[in-house]
């Protein structure tokens, strides 16, 4: 029986790579839903190719847009995003970028759909709620992030109670070797040129500030039910090692592979079952593996977000929403790169502590939109 899939964010980097795997395995998967944001031309093309039952688009629905989207397959029904995520299926790939990913992820879980989770922001904003709901509705949350896929794979080899530390790696982003003195003049174009991964704009910027790695530490704490202060990160420019786990006896186990999202996406789609040649093998002969400490002067936002995570309550959500807000201002050319961290820190000082109820989380997220 083919697995019925819904892909949220099908027009993005993870969404398109997921569809590449679906193309390779037509007997394994059937697309029943696709959701795009603003790229209606690509969504229309995907509708023609995959003929889903349902789609969603993040643009106001005019009759012209409806005609364009349904021209290639008139049976497709256009739904609001959360309704689409709640259609019965075997797996929802949650790959919308940013804080907008939380409501459809929760809608999918509440409809008893298992989730392949790329949208790390869902767990940063509302990790306890997302995990509790997944338990309540008996659905799986499968990691798509390469680091979390690595930890997931490593934890299948090592007993959980013998793990002392989880260590995630970070490429260091586009500015890892740029002199600090040049930071105030950095252009968005330079920041968006990632040295090892080809990804969407938000995550590429978050790699340069290392906000992404702080989010991933929070994500790992929720996914693996592991204490925040026992999850660390190091810079590893080659991006071959995705994560390591240290066991109580002093062993260090690492997962290594080419920097390609095809492997973690494939493992999530196939529920952990390995497929032949998901990525090209990694030949380490003649390669250097380098690891560096994360410096506060270069990556202040990493430390700000982790401090917010330690505070708990609505602070991680506020940190994700405010860094996203100021990040977009930088990408729009309205503020300088170092201002992202400074203004996020300033915004967080104005946030009053509140418990992490969904209502409080959505209120603080909306206050930054
Ligand atoms: N790319 C990677 O290698 C990678 C690795 C690990 C984790 N992730 C995570 O996966 C998620 C997606 O990343 P990405 O790199 O694929 O991002 P991306 O290329 O920017 O794609 C984002 C997708 O979300 C859609 N979207 C954005 N805002 C939306 C909204 N408000 N409503 C509906 N749809 C919306 C976009 O639609 P349009 O393009 O049509 O506007 C696009 O389909 C992020 O949470 C990221 O952190 C990505």
């Amino acid at each position: 029986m083919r697995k019925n899939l819904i892909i949220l964010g099908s027009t993005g980097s993870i969404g398109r790579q997921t569809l590449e795997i679906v193309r390779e395995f037509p007997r394994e998967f059937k697309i029943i839903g696709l959701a795009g944001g603003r790229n209606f031309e690509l969504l229309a093309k995907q509708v023609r190719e995959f003929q889903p039952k349902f789609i969603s688009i993040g643009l106001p629905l005019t009759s012209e847009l409806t005609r364009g989207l349904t021209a290639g397959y008139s049976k497709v029904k256009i739904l609001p995003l959360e309704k689409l995520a709640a259609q019965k299926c075997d797996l929802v790939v949650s790959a919308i970028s940013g804080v907008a990913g939380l409501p459809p992820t929760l809608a999918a879980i509440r409809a008893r759909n298992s989730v392949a989770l790329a949208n790390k922001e869902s767990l940063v904003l509302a990790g306890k709620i997302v995990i509790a709901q997944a338990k309540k509705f008996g659905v799986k949350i499968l990691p798509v992030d390469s680091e979390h896929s690595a930890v997931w794979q490593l934890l299948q080899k090592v007993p959980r109670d013998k793990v002392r530390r989880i260590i995630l790696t970070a490429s260091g982003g586009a500015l890892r070797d740029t002199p600090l003195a040049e930071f105030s003049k950095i252009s968005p174009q330079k920041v968006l040129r990632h040295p090892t991964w080809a990804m969407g704009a938000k995550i590429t910027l978050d790699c340069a500030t290392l906000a992404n790695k702080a989010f991933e530490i929070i994500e790992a704490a929720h996914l693996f039910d592991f204490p925040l202060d026992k999850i660390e990160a190091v810079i590893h420019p080659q991006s071959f090692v995705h994560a390591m786990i240290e066991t109580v006896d002093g062993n260090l186990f690492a997962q290594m592979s080419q920097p390609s999202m095809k492997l973690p996406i494939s493992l999530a789609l196939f529920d952990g079952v390995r497929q032949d040649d998901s990525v090209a093998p990694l030949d380490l002969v003649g390669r250097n593996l380098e690891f560096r400490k994360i410096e506060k002067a270069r990556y202040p936002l990493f430390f700000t977000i982790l401090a917010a995570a330690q505070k708990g309550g609505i602070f991680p959500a506020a940190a994700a929403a405010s860094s996203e807000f100021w990040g977009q201002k930088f990408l729009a050319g309205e503020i300088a790169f170092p201002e992202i961290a400074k203004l996020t820190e300033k915004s967080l000082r104005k946030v009053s502590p509140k418990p992490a109820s969904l209502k409080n989380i959505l209120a603080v997220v909306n206050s930054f939109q």
Side-chain angles (χ1 to χ4, degrees), residues 8-17 35-40 42-43 56-59 81 94-101 104 117-122 144-147 197-204 206 212 215-216 219 260-261 264-265 324:
L8 311 176
S10 63
T11 50
S13 162
I14 293 290
R16 292 190 311 264
Q17 292 179 80
R38 310 183 68 81
N39 190 346
F40 62 89
L42 179 56
L43 184 62
S56 174
I57 180 97
L59 288 169
L81 182 58
S94 172
I96 284 177
S97 54
V99 295
L117 189 68
N119 178 262
K120 62 196 80 188
E121 290 85 352
S122 292
V144 169
D145 237 328
S146 56
E147 298 76 0
W197 296 92
M199 307 179 289
K202 180 189 184 281
I203 184 173
T204 307
D206 288 348
N212 183 54
F215 294 153
E216 288 179 2
E219 180 186 8
S260 159
M261 288 307 295
I265 297 172
E324 184 166 326

Side-chain angles (χ1 to χ4, degrees), residues 9-313:
S10 63
T11 50
S13 162
I14 293 290
R16 292 190 311 264
Q17 292 179 80
T18 305
L19 288 173
E20 278 174 33
I21 297 176
V22 171
R23 261 184 217 112
E24 284 168 36
F25 294 93
R27 291 187 179 177
E28 305 283 345
F29 303 108
K30 178 170 170 43
I31 296 293
I32 64 153
L34 294 172
R38 310 183 68 81
N39 190 346
F40 62 89
E41 280 135 345
L42 179 56
L43 184 62
K45 212 169 148 207
Q46 293 175 344
V47 169
R48 280 198 296 281
E49 180 179 356
F50 293 98
Q51 306 198 333
K53 281 188 187 163
F54 310 103
I55 54 167
S56 174
I57 180 97
L59 288 169
L61 208 56
T62 59
S63 47
E64 196 187 341
L65 183 60
T66 307
R67 267 199 307 279
L69 287 171
T70 57
Y73 183 60
S74 61
K75 287 185 193 156
V76 68
K77 216 169 147 189
I78 306 177
L79 298 177
L81 182 58
E82 287 173 55
K83 267 219 161 127
L84 171 79
Q87 296 303 310
K88 197 66 215 136
C89 69
D90 297 304
L91 189 68
V92 172
V93 178
S94 172
I96 284 177
S97 54
V99 295
L102 174 65
T105 302
L106 277 175
I109 293 170
R110 287 174 180 154
R112 299 181 195 277
N113 289 330
S114 282
V115 174
L117 189 68
N119 178 262
K120 62 196 80 188
E121 290 85 352
S122 292
L123 290 180
V124 177
L125 299 184
K128 279 194 182 143
I129 296 171
V130 170
I131 298 295
Q133 297 265 295
K135 278 192 186 137
K136 178 175 168 191
F137 290 102
V139 301
K140 288 186 186 174
I141 308 273
L142 299 152
V144 169
D145 237 328
S146 56
E147 298 76 0
H148 302 76
S149 181
V151 175
W152 183 40
Q153 293 175 66
L154 290 165
L155 286 177
Q156 288 162 23
K157 313 272 176 219
V158 173
R160 198 25 255 272
D161 62 335
K162 299 294 180 196
V163 177
R164 189 158 56 193
R165 275 193 312 157
I166 293 176
I167 303 154
L168 309 180
T169 62
S171 68
L175 306 181
R176 69 173 177 231
D177 298 316
T178 304
L180 291 179
E182 290 176 20
F183 269 36
S184 56
K185 291 178 267 137
I186 295 287
S187 68
Q189 290 73 19
K190 176 161 172 126
V191 169
L192 293 181
R193 240 173 276 133
H194 195 284
T196 42
W197 296 92
M199 307 179 289
K202 180 189 184 281
I203 184 173
T204 307
L205 170 62
D206 288 348
C207 286
T209 60
L210 232 55
N212 183 54
K213 212 47 54 179
F215 294 153
E216 288 179 2
I217 289 178
I218 303 169
E219 180 186 8
H222 290 296
L223 267 182
F224 305 112
D225 191 19
F226 209 72
L228 206 54
D229 60 358
K230 297 214 163 97
I231 310 173
E232 294 170 24
V234 287
I235 308 258
H236 167 50
Q238 293 78 16
S239 301
F240 293 143
V241 176
H242 304 296
M244 296 174 268
I245 59 176
E246 185 186 86
T247 48
V248 290
D249 54 0
N251 263 302
L252 192 60
F253 294 88
Q255 184 273 337
M256 293 188 232
S257 54
Q258 299 280 3
S260 159
M261 288 307 295
K262 281 289 194 64
L263 181 58
I265 297 172
S266 171
L267 282 168
L269 293 184
F270 285 99
D271 205 359
V273 177
R274 297 183 189 285
Q275 305 301 311
D276 290 345
D277 305 315
S278 292
V279 282
L282 181 59
D283 183 0
L284 287 176
V285 174
R287 309 266 201 181
N288 285 327
L289 295 184
E290 192 190 350
F291 299 91
R292 302 181 201 162
K293 193 172 169 245
I294 297 174
E295 303 287 352
K296 198 165 185 175
R298 186 171 293 274
Y299 300 110
L301 194 52
F302 171 79
F303 295 91
T304 300
I305 294 171
L306 282 186
Q310 290 291 1
K311 271 185 162 175

